[in-house]
Amino acid sequence: MESNSGKRDQWGSKFGFIMAAAGSAIGLGNVWRFPYITGKYGGGALVVIYLLFVIFIGTSVMLAELSIGRKARLDSVGSFKKLGGGAWPLVGWLGFFCAFVILSYYSVITGWTVAYMFKSLGGLMEQAAVSGGAADAFVAFVSDPVLTILCLMVVMASVVGVAYRGISGGIEKSCKVLMPALFVIILILIVRSVTLPGAEAGLRFYLLPDFSKVSAEGILAAVGQGFYSLSLGMGIMITYGSYLGSHEDMPKLTRTIVLLDTSVAFMAGLVIFPAVFAFGIDAGSGPGLTFVTLPAVFAQMPMGAIFSFAFFALLFIAAFTSCISLFEVVVTFAVDELHWNRAKSALAMGAAITLLGVPSALSVGGHIPQVFGKDFLDALDFITNNAIMPIGGIFVSIFVGWIWTKGALDEISNRGELKFKFYKAWLWICRLIAPVCITAVFITGLKW
Ligand code: PHE
């Protein structure tokens, strides 16, 4: 455990850091948004656009965030105070706020995945086997206030338990077990899915490039998804970077994280589309795809309960490791800025976030009034993802591109120890290309 007076905790190994950062990046978005956007906007053609974005822009912004955190060795607010001063800490505040709010509803959905793991083995398959049964089961579940709030509390208690044990003893230890498990599960599910009779139609829909479907809207969706998927713009990588050893090769680490995140997004599509097409069901996206369509698909497979359990376990791991990273932004803030010890920070912040999660949990079942025509959960999701995250990303890029440029270069090259080959490209991406692209996503995303 870490205390205020003691030495700052550090990741115990490169592998541990990579698993934690990839755990943050790999989340619900990889499973229910990437495949959907790809299928809808041009298959393989869109994958290429997505790849270009994450390789050039995503990697650059992630590198910027890691360097800020590692140099300052503080939370997101403290880092901007120390390196930028003036109004810059506001960017850190945005990150803190965003992480706090996102976690409050992300943990609600993570709770659903826990319930669905158990439901898979306990009768969900029988319900989902009849037409419309999976949808009825889902509505009945989200309308149950006791159960959904209980699931939220179980998830938040586990997140607090991990954070309480600190960086190397909590986050790193759990992610080192969970992330390899996620890879094994997804591989098993891919094999199951692509060997179903009729799977090729799904593969064709998912991957054959169809340039006629590529549109400006699709490109922006891909760019926004890339940004969201890498967990950028909200202080997560600043926070995780603040615990990173000074001799680690950040460009290399970043490449590995991006590669892992993209691979899992790509693989999720190999699970979903072949299965959905094999049974002639309309895929759709979001919670509807994962909690309604897929149970109906699993219900038609031999040993469907086992595969359904495995799928929700996969979703749980993806979501839970993202929750952990969101929570660490908040906990590190409390430790560094409020000078609370880790135990108090984890418990108090965990309780506050759980409380904020309650209206989200209730909103999906229609127990509380909507906010301007959206469920409370969707409203929070909209504000954080479409407004705050992009603003955070734009300012992080501008900060390293124009203000703290020499400092960032120094940090990324480990004070001259490493050769940072792509310096020029990185610099102009942060100066111009990233702010322009993210602004475009931001403006188009503001439609309520
Ligand atoms: N990157 C996660 C995903 O793809 C989502 C996320 C965003 C998690 C921001 C934490 C912070 O689902």
Side-chain angles (χ1 to χ4, degrees):
M1 269 213 27
E2 173 191 1
S3 74
N4 295 331
S5 45
K7 218 172 134 271
R8 194 176 185 79
D9 201 355
Q10 251 190 29
W11 303 103
S13 65
K14 225 190 271 308
F15 178 72
F17 167 75
I18 291 174
M19 290 300 106
S24 171
I26 297 167
L28 296 169
N30 297 58
V31 182
W32 81 32
R33 248 174 98 223
F34 176 84
Y36 169 74
I37 294 175
T38 304
K40 179 166 174 203
Y41 294 112
L46 204 87
V47 174
V48 174
I49 295 166
Y50 180 87
L51 279 176
L52 289 176
F53 174 79
V54 294
I55 290 173
F56 289 102
I57 303 181
T59 312
S60 301
V61 179
M62 185 179 290
L63 200 47
E65 292 201 8
L66 287 175
S67 67
I68 292 172
R70 195 177 72 173
K71 176 66 190 183
R73 298 234 171 269
L74 285 170
D75 66 297
S76 62
V77 175
S79 290
F80 278 102
K81 258 191 220 159
K82 184 163 168 180
L83 305 178
W88 284 105
L90 283 177
V91 182
W93 279 105
L94 279 184
F96 165 79
F97 175 79
C98 204
F100 191 101
V101 172
I102 292 192
L103 181 55
S104 77
Y105 70 82
Y106 210 85
S107 54
V108 170
I109 301 172
T110 311
W112 296 354
T113 66
V114 176
Y116 264 68
M117 276 163 65
F118 294 106
K119 279 172 169 294
S120 298
L121 302 177
L124 177 66
M125 292 301 102
E126 287 74 25
Q127 279 173 295
V130 286
S131 157
D136 293 344
F138 181 61
V139 172
F141 168 68
V142 293
S143 310
D144 182 340
V146 178
L147 197 53
T148 42
I149 292 177
L150 193 71
C151 290
L152 160 70
M153 287 164 69
V154 168
V155 168
M156 280 309 299
S158 317
V159 171
V160 168
V162 171
Y164 177 85
R165 292 183 177 78
I167 298 298
S168 50
I171 302 182
E172 179 168 353
K173 254 199 185 139
S174 5
C175 292
K176 266 188 349 199
V177 179
L178 290 172
M179 294 314 288
L182 178 142
F183 278 94
V184 173
I185 299 176
I186 204 165
L187 286 175
I188 295 174
L189 288 172
I190 291 177
V191 172
R192 169 65 287 191
S193 189
V194 299
T195 53
L196 287 167
E200 318 79 56
L203 288 176
R204 225 173 284 128
F205 169 79
Y206 180 38
L207 294 175
L208 273 193
D210 180 349
F211 288 94
S212 70
K213 284 202 278 179
V214 176
S215 60
E217 190 188 333
I219 294 175
L220 286 170
V223 172
Q225 167 65 12
F227 200 72
Y228 177 77
S229 191
L230 295 176
S231 299
L232 299 174
M234 52 181 4
I236 291 181
M237 294 302 162
I238 295 181
T239 305
Y240 274 13
S242 79
Y243 299 104
L244 190 60
S246 358
H247 295 286
E248 298 294 354
D249 182 339
M250 290 192 290
K252 205 157 142 200
L253 291 172
T254 308
R255 283 197 290 274
T256 312
I257 298 164
V258 172
L259 179 73
L260 290 173
D261 181 56
T262 307
S263 318
V264 171
F266 180 73
M267 291 194 291
L270 296 181
V271 173
I272 290 168
F273 288 112
V276 166
F277 273 69
F279 294 104
I281 296 179
D282 182 29
S285 75
L289 164 73
T290 35
F291 293 98
V292 178
T293 310
L294 289 178
V297 168
F298 290 125
Q300 299 181 48
M301 278 180 199
M303 298 206 306
I306 308 277
F307 290 111
S308 179
F309 175 83
F311 175 78
F312 286 106
L314 166 87
L315 211 54
F316 166 72
I317 297 174
F320 185 68
T321 48
S322 297
C323 289
I324 291 177
S325 71
L326 288 162
F327 194 49
E328 192 51 41
V329 172
V330 176
V331 170
T332 299
F333 166 85
V335 171
D336 288 342
E337 299 305 304
L338 309 177
H339 307 292
W340 294 356
N341 63 33
R342 184 166 271 275
K344 176 176 169 191
S345 307
L347 286 172
M349 292 297 184
I353 291 170
T354 311
L355 274 183
L356 182 61
V358 169
S360 284
L362 294 176
S363 70
V364 187
H367 296 293
I368 59 167
Q370 291 197 319
V371 194
F372 300 112
K374 275 191 200 294
D375 287 343
F376 187 73
L377 189 155
D378 295 327
L380 292 186
D381 181 53
F382 181 89
I383 296 168
T384 46
N385 289 329
N386 295 26
I388 306 178
M389 269 174 82
I391 296 179
I394 293 168
F395 280 107
V396 164
S397 314
I398 294 179
F399 182 67
V400 298
W402 297 98
I403 310 289
W404 182 67
T405 314
K406 242 197 87 9
L409 172 63
D410 215 40
E411 192 58 35
I412 294 172
S413 66
N414 292 355
R415 297 144 307 276
E417 229 172 65
L418 293 175
K419 198 150 166 36
F420 180 28
K421 281 180 282 204
F422 306 106
Y423 173 63
K424 273 262 148 61
W426 171 83
L427 180 64
W428 284 99
I429 287 171
C430 290
R431 285 195 162 167
L432 279 181
I433 303 175
V436 167
C437 287
I438 305 171
T439 305
V441 174
F442 173 63
I443 291 171
T444 46
L446 285 182
K447 270 182 283 155
W448 181 257

